[in-house]
Amino acid sequence: SSGINAEYGEDEEEEEEEGAGYGEGGITLVGNVEDKDCIIFDDIADACLSIVRTASILKANGSRRVFAMATHGLFTEEGLELCRASEIDEFVVTETIDQRENLESYGKLQTVDVAMLFSEAIRRIHNNEPLLHLFNL
């Protein structure tokens, strides 16, 4: 069997106070990222403050490349502008939200089509079939 030869690191973010600006807030990097490819994952990418802040910290600590991934790319215009100006090398989101305009204006944005996965899950649930097959990667 093949596996991913990877180390684990994480950022720990304290809740931001109301009115806190970009660059403020407590993110603590746990783990060594020097000369590593790093992946930031979030459920929703909207304002992207913590994603961009984390990418900056990773690069400042010597990471080779930074990839950001989010389940839902619900980008605000300000969030998209922050991403464009950031040190993120590639940003991947699923197509749960239409990204055509964002793909045109943000060259580092990529999408993953999840329509077949969702349709198969719905079919299996409707037919009382197990979903376990969908997780066999």
Side-chain angles (χ1 to χ4, degrees), residues 117 120 124 130-137:
L117 177 66
E120 180 63 12
R124 287 175 169 274
L131 296 176
L132 185 60
H133 172 74
L134 300 177
F135 299 102
N136 293 333
L137 301 175

Side-chain angles (χ1 to χ4, degrees), residues 62-102:
S63 79
R64 182 176 33 223
R65 294 183 298 177
V66 175
F67 300 94
M69 298 179 175
T71 305
H72 308 288
L74 186 67
F75 296 101
T76 63
E77 186 54 43
E78 295 82 10
L80 205 54
E81 189 56 42
L82 276 176
C83 289
R84 283 188 204 105
S86 76
E87 299 188 67
I88 296 170
D89 293 289
E90 187 173 338
F91 205 130
V92 180
V93 297
T94 65
E95 287 186 343
T96 58
I97 298 170
D98 184 20
Q99 297 295 328
R100 284 177 281 194
E101 288 182 26
N102 295 337

Side-chain angles (χ1 to χ4, degrees), residues 13 21 25 43 48 54 62 90 93-94 107-108 114 118 135:
E13 182 175 13
D43 56 346
C48 300
T54 301
E90 187 173 338
V93 297
T94 65
K108 296 179 181 179
V114 291
F118 285 6
F135 299 102

Side-chain angles (χ1 to χ4, degrees), residues 9 16 21 119:
E16 293 183 22
S119 67

